[in-house]
Amino acid sequence: MELLTPILQAIGLFVATNIDDIIILSLFYARGAGQRGTTRKILLGQYLGFGGILLAAVVVSLGARSFLPEDALPYFGLIPLALGLYAAWRAWRNRDDDDDDEEAKVADKQVGVLTVAAVTFANGGDNIGVYVPVFATASTTAIIAYCLVFLALVSLLVLAAKYVATRRPVAEVLERWEHILFPLVLIGLGIVILLEGGAFGL
């Protein structure tokens, strides 16, 4: 039961922070259509890039736990809260615009392991910003559980992208709802971290 909570939280967090990756990876699938080894390259690249994201988040969070007083850690909840508010503002500001950001990220890029890894890592700034406060306030066991669940879900993410690549209406639905789901999850996560840690005397 002790591990069930971080496992469920990890699943929810992974889904919320990686919906946009489904779109990006599906575009890589579209570019690699008819080429041998496309799935293998995308899978390896995604693991490599996401592994870098996880490593960065773990290192930063452990550093924070080592050098910051324990009372300061709950204030890390301000990071996902700020990211969520910014994402909500950006979604509202661009509500009438055609979103070509994902296409731009893979434009003129061949499907290769390092290319997919680089795009994944470059697109993971928000992930790191979200994972650091979660890891900084979690136990070592919980961090390990988070990482194992995240790594297990990477394969499902790639399979989902392969499915979406051949079904554009599904991709359009994901794009539309991602702009709503992502800010809500981040704002909620930030509030939970602040409340559970007793930040600001809450």
Side-chain angles (χ1 to χ4, degrees), residues 182-194:
F182 185 61
L184 287 178
V185 170
L186 294 194
I187 292 170
L189 176 64
I191 292 173
V192 167
I193 292 174
L194 290 170

Side-chain angles (χ1 to χ4, degrees), residues 110-180:
Q110 297 301 315
V111 180
V113 174
L114 293 181
T115 301
V116 175
V119 171
T120 298
F121 187 81
N123 193 45
D126 286 347
N127 297 53
I128 295 173
V130 174
Y131 299 161
V132 166
V134 173
F135 292 170
T137 55
S139 66
T140 302
T141 302
I143 292 174
I144 294 172
Y146 270 107
C147 291
L148 291 177
V149 171
F150 285 168
L151 292 173
L153 291 176
V154 166
S155 295
L156 294 180
L157 182 72
V158 172
L159 290 176
K162 187 175 184 178
Y163 176 86
V164 168
T166 58
R167 293 162 179 83
R168 184 59 192 172
V170 178
E172 291 173 353
V173 170
L174 286 175
E175 286 183 41
R176 183 165 62 249
W177 284 100
E178 184 265 341
H179 297 301
I180 297 173

Side-chain angles (χ1 to χ4, degrees), residues 53-81:
I53 291 171
L54 271 186
L55 180 62
V58 169
V59 169
V60 172
S61 62
L62 291 179
R65 289 167 63 172
S66 299
F67 297 107
L68 292 177
E70 189 172 342
D71 291 345
L73 296 181
Y75 292 94
F76 272 72
L78 292 172
I79 297 174
L81 180 60

